[in-house]
Amino acid sequence: MPTPESRLEQLGLKLPQPTKLPEGLRLPFEFVNIRGDRVLFSGHPKSAMDGSIAGPFGVVGADITTDQGYVEAREVALSVLANLKAEIGELSRIVGWVRVFGMVTSAPSYSEQHVVVNGFSDLVIDVFGKDVGRHARSAIGVSGLPLGFAMEIEGEVLITP
């Protein structure tokens, strides 16, 4: 089985730099919180290649289509992987994806949040394989997220010590 890093390369994907907060924004929590063999990652937006926060911004079902949201969720997954790698070293230390929770800013009556967050889940499984990548998941619609994000995704993985 290839390493997650080599699998990303095979898929033609590159990780952005770890997330950099905009000047003046203070967060009293960590994007990645390691507790023994558990690693919890806070709600992540997408990062540009330089690590700056890149959204996505807007409302899915109004400003953003379901298909566009799916692609954006894949980009959020790359941002999560970049931040995990920065904290744990090698992504091959991840031995299991436990759970993923996706929040999607949604237009009234929009009901395809699960399809949007599939972008995140599909990328994880593409990179880590079914055994390591399988996870429990929820996807919900919300009326708004911080900074106008269209989505934010959090979760938990297990790592080797």
Side-chain angles (χ1 to χ4, degrees), residues 20-26 53:
K20 296 177 179 108
L21 296 179
E23 192 170 321
L25 179 63
R26 185 185 82 76
I53 292 177

Side-chain angles (χ1 to χ4, degrees), residues 27-48:
L27 300 177
F29 60 86
E30 300 295 324
F31 273 123
V32 177
N33 187 8
I34 301 171
R35 294 289 184 246
D37 66 347
R38 296 174 59 203
V39 180
L40 295 98
F41 57 91
S42 298
H44 273 63
K46 174 177 84 171
S47 295

Side-chain angles (χ1 to χ4, degrees), residues 2-159:
T3 66
E5 287 85 356
S6 64
R7 184 68 182 133
L8 284 164
E9 190 173 315
Q10 288 173 357
L11 294 169
L13 301 171
K14 294 186 187 242
L15 296 180
Q17 293 297 310
T19 303
K20 296 177 179 108
L21 296 179
E23 192 170 321
L25 179 63
R26 185 185 82 76
L27 300 177
F29 60 86
E30 300 295 324
F31 273 123
V32 177
N33 187 8
I34 301 171
R35 294 289 184 246
D37 66 347
R38 296 174 59 203
V39 180
L40 295 98
F41 57 91
S42 298
H44 273 63
K46 174 177 84 171
S47 295
M49 291 309 289
D50 68 358
S52 62
I53 292 177
F57 302 101
V59 177
V60 180
D63 309 316
I64 299 169
T65 67
T66 298
D67 290 341
Q68 290 168 327
Y70 177 94
V71 171
E72 295 287 358
R74 287 180 65 87
E75 297 288 327
V76 172
L78 293 173
S79 299
V80 167
L81 294 180
N83 286 336
L84 288 171
K85 184 174 175 61
E87 293 295 323
I88 67 172
E90 297 300 318
L91 293 173
S92 57
R93 288 189 61 201
I94 297 173
V95 295
W97 281 77
V98 178
R99 67 172 192 86
V100 169
F101 179 59
M103 296 159 277
V104 179
T105 303
S106 302
S109 301
Y110 182 77
S111 61
E112 294 189 325
Q113 294 86 357
H114 62 291
V115 177
V116 169
V117 181
N118 281 351
F120 187 101
S121 294
D122 287 346
L123 185 122
V124 165
I125 292 167
D126 286 348
V127 171
F128 289 88
K130 289 183 181 179
D131 288 338
V132 174
R134 66 187 170 97
H135 53 273
R137 194 193 83 194
S138 296
I140 64 166
V142 298
S143 62
L145 287 166
L147 305 177
F149 294 137
M151 68 188 68
E152 189 175 285
I153 302 174
E154 67 176 49
E156 180 177 353
V157 298
L158 297 175
I159 59 171

